[in-house]
Amino acid sequence: MIEKREFYINGAWVAPETPNDCEVIDPSTEEAVAVISLGSAADIDKAVAAAKAAFPAWMETPPAERLALVEKLLDVYLARSEEMAQAMTLAMGAPIDMSRNNQVGAGTFHIKEFIAAAKNFEFIRPLSDRAPNDRIVYEPVGVCGLITPWNWPMNQITLKVVAAAVAGCTMVLKPSEESPLDAMLFAELMHEAGFPPGVFNLVNGDGMGAGTALTGHPDVDMVSFTGSTRAGIAISKNAADTLKRVHLELGGKGANIIFADADEKAVKRGVIDMMQNTGQSCNAPSRMLVQREIYEQAVEGAAAMANRIAVGDPHEEGRHIGPVVNKAQWQKIQDLIQKGIDEGARLVAGGTGLPDGFNRGYYVKPTVFADVTNDMTIAREEIFGPVLSIIPFDTEEEAIAITNDTVYGLTNYIQTQDAARANRVALKVRSGMVEMNGQSRSFGSPFGGMKQSGNGREGGVFGIEDFLEIKAIGGWAND
């Protein structure tokens, strides 16, 4: 049993003010593998005070020196990548090969991305050639409360922590209590990299306790949260009294529009993308919209692909998906699969219950529904599991209407060999991101959504800007 009952505050590991133990469960065995403490409002007060005290000096630290520490962080992150992979597999159930390549790799990608962006970032720049004595100054927001989820831990922690550090902000991180071991290891890496005391602080806790104390704290200038839309709404309300900036990365219900002229791998690719990380990704293409001419062929292909996806022990190497994160999530997914059946969708792969060969663990069958209509529950709600809904459409206009008929707007996908149509549809779907024909977004591209998918942009220069205030100065004295 791993015991991690301390918090990282002001450059040291300290005991909680009021010990409150919480077990960390391995979702593949349903057994406790670690014990952590959940922080209280007093612990948050201590961490925020440390961040507030450290802010003036960190703000005034030259950007090149802040960047040098981030570069050191990358070195220690890479050196301890196997520990990080094992921590994520143990607590949130990502298969170990995926943890090594994708989960750890996401953190590597974003740290490198911020290093590249920071090298060319002008914190003080002229307004324009016509205003030689005006300067636009980008300065740090201040003390930031960072709340990260369990599904892509290093992806989200690096997107927030590294951007805030480059910008000159100090911070308090509250990771998900479902996946705290990787975050505590990350705190060790920040310490090893040499970040000054108080710049980075970590307090474990749940949303109702530590999360509420952090997001409403009067000395926190900004909250950056990734998680459910429900929690994002609650955080916005709690933060409103202090008028702090709130940056939200929330849920999604992405549409994958497959036109009749899509490439032959489009359906297979869509199923694989949906099932990755056991469907626990906010940008998953969970609604597959298929043009009527190829609809039955696509349904058959999607079912066949889902039936080929192996479900297995996350601690074993190989290409398979693992369990979902906990019992509550497993039961929610089971209820929604049953709801799809009850509402008349055609089940063509998977279904309720544990996959064959399992009698414990939070494993879900890769599931595909056909003949879904966009008013069904499985087409409206974010399931956050390996469940794909296939919806037929006839015209381009109908596909766009179905795509936009959702409260979410994170990522949509387009599959067509007609370049003009691809561009046209990409401009009409309402989402923060669009990916076409299997081509993912490039290095430095922002991650973020519209509507109830949130309001922030993470990654590269856009992510740094989210942690900066803009100051306009007139009458600047030129040297």
Side-chain angles (χ1 to χ4, degrees), residues 43 85 113 159 168 226 240 246 265 283 292 302 313 325 341 425 450:
D43 297 304
E113 189 180 41
L159 277 171
T226 299
V246 178
K265 295 182 179 179
N283 61 341
R292 191 83 59 180
D313 185 340
V325 70
I341 296 169
V425 174
M450 300 178 180

Side-chain angles (χ1 to χ4, degrees), residues 1-7 13-14 16 20-22 24 33-38 80 83 180-182 184-185 188 202 204:
M1 181 75 71
I2 299 169
E3 295 185 1
K4 294 280 189 179
R5 290 185 170 90
E6 294 182 315
F7 306 140
W13 292 97
V14 300
N20 179 18
D21 284 353
C22 173
V24 178
V33 293
V35 177
I36 63 167
S37 280
L38 299 179
R80 301 184 68 179
E83 291 176 72
L181 305 180
D182 49 81
M184 299 186 82
L185 176 57
E188 293 181 19
L202 180 146
N204 283 316

Side-chain angles (χ1 to χ4, degrees), residues 96-111:
I96 187 61
D97 281 356
M98 184 200 177
S99 287
R100 290 169 177 153
N101 298 324
N102 302 89
Q103 295 279 7
V104 170
T108 304
F109 179 89
H110 291 308
I111 298 172

Side-chain angles (χ1 to χ4, degrees), residues 13 39 65 79 106 120 130 140 177 179 197 211 230 252 262 270 292 299 301 309-310 325 356 372 374-375 379 416:
W13 292 97
E65 293 183 23
N120 299 310
R130 293 181 296 175
E177 68 275 22
S179 182
R230 174 193 56 77
R292 191 83 59 180
V299 168
I309 292 175
V325 70
D356 292 342
V372 176
N374 210 45
D375 59 349
T416 177

Side-chain angles (χ1 to χ4, degrees), residues 185-259:
L185 176 57
F186 187 84
E188 293 181 19
L189 305 185
M190 293 289 287
H191 185 86
E192 188 176 342
F195 282 86
V199 170
F200 171 86
N201 307 273
L202 180 146
V203 176
N204 283 316
D206 58 18
M208 293 299 294
T212 298
L214 182 61
T215 58
H217 201 290
D219 289 333
V220 169
D221 301 294
M222 172 180 166
V223 172
S224 180
F225 169 78
T226 299
S228 71
T229 297
R230 174 193 56 77
I233 292 170
I235 285 169
S236 297
K237 291 178 179 178
N238 190 44
D241 287 343
T242 51
L243 289 176
K244 57 174 57 71
R245 183 187 296 185
V246 178
H247 164 145
L248 302 172
E249 299 292 351
L250 307 175
K253 196 67 182 176
N256 184 12
I257 307 172
I258 300 181
F259 288 95

Side-chain angles (χ1 to χ4, degrees), residues 151-457:
N151 60 322
W152 285 92
M154 281 304 108
N155 183 74
Q156 294 307 134
I157 287 175
T158 54
L159 277 171
K160 297 182 191 302
V161 170
V162 180
V166 167
C169 295
T170 58
M171 67 208 81
V172 178
L173 170 66
K174 189 209 81 64
S176 169
E177 68 275 22
E178 299 286 352
S179 182
L181 305 180
D182 49 81
M184 299 186 82
L185 176 57
F186 187 84
E188 293 181 19
L189 305 185
M190 293 289 287
H191 185 86
E192 188 176 342
F195 282 86
V199 170
F200 171 86
N201 307 273
L202 180 146
V203 176
N204 283 316
D206 58 18
M208 293 299 294
T212 298
L214 182 61
T215 58
H217 201 290
D219 289 333
V220 169
D221 301 294
M222 172 180 166
V223 172
S224 180
F225 169 78
T226 299
S228 71
T229 297
R230 174 193 56 77
I233 292 170
I235 285 169
S236 297
K237 291 178 179 178
N238 190 44
D241 287 343
T242 51
L243 289 176
K244 57 174 57 71
R245 183 187 296 185
V246 178
H247 164 145
L248 302 172
E249 299 292 351
L250 307 175
K253 196 67 182 176
N256 184 12
I257 307 172
I258 300 181
F259 288 95
D261 67 342
D263 68 89
E264 62 181 10
K265 295 182 179 179
V267 171
K268 176 182 177 181
R269 186 169 60 240
V271 174
I272 292 173
D273 289 349
M274 178 62 237
M275 303 301 171
Q276 185 193 41
N277 204 33
T278 319
Q280 298 170 122
S281 299
C282 53
N283 61 341
S286 54
R287 293 181 297 155
M288 180 180 284
L289 280 54
V290 181
Q291 199 157 26
R292 191 83 59 180
E293 293 96 307
I294 62 167
Y295 178 73
E296 288 300 335
Q297 175 187 342
V299 168
E300 182 179 336
M305 187 64 234
N307 286 329
R308 288 199 297 270
I309 292 175
V311 179
D313 185 340
H315 301 284
E316 295 181 358
E317 296 181 345
R319 298 185 64 181
H320 53 267
I321 64 173
V324 295
V325 70
N326 58 30
K327 184 176 182 179
Q329 185 65 18
W330 185 87
Q331 190 58 60
K332 173 192 171 185
I333 295 167
Q334 299 303 308
D335 292 344
L336 284 166
I337 292 173
Q338 187 59 52
K339 190 78 169 177
I341 296 169
D342 294 344
E343 291 185 356
R346 175 164 50 115
L347 183 67
V348 296
T352 56
L354 290 170
D356 292 342
F358 292 92
N359 57 17
R360 66 172 183 170
Y362 306 124
Y363 296 95
V364 177
K365 299 173 184 176
T367 297
V368 177
F369 283 102
D371 303 346
V372 176
T373 58
N374 210 45
D375 59 349
M376 290 181 179
T377 303
I378 57 173
R380 308 304 295 180
E381 293 191 18
E382 185 180 36
I383 299 173
F384 229 59
V387 182
L388 173 65
S389 297
I390 306 180
I391 302 172
F393 73 89
D394 291 298
T395 66
E396 178 181 316
E397 293 72 23
E398 183 185 8
I400 293 168
I402 294 171
T403 296
N404 291 339
D405 181 21
T406 175
V407 297
Y408 297 108
L410 190 57
T411 311
N412 289 310
Y413 304 78
I414 301 167
Q415 321 296 331
T416 177
Q417 297 304 296
D418 184 334
R421 175 164 60 189
N423 292 345
R424 186 168 62 243
V425 174
L427 293 173
K428 292 183 178 180
V429 294
R430 295 285 293 164
S431 57
M433 297 170 286
V434 179
E435 297 186 8
M436 299 191 288
N437 298 318
Q439 183 172 330
S440 60
R441 294 166 298 107
S442 299
F443 189 80
S445 179
F447 185 101
M450 300 178 180
K451 301 191 285 186
Q452 291 189 24
S453 288
N455 54 17
R457 292 295 180 272

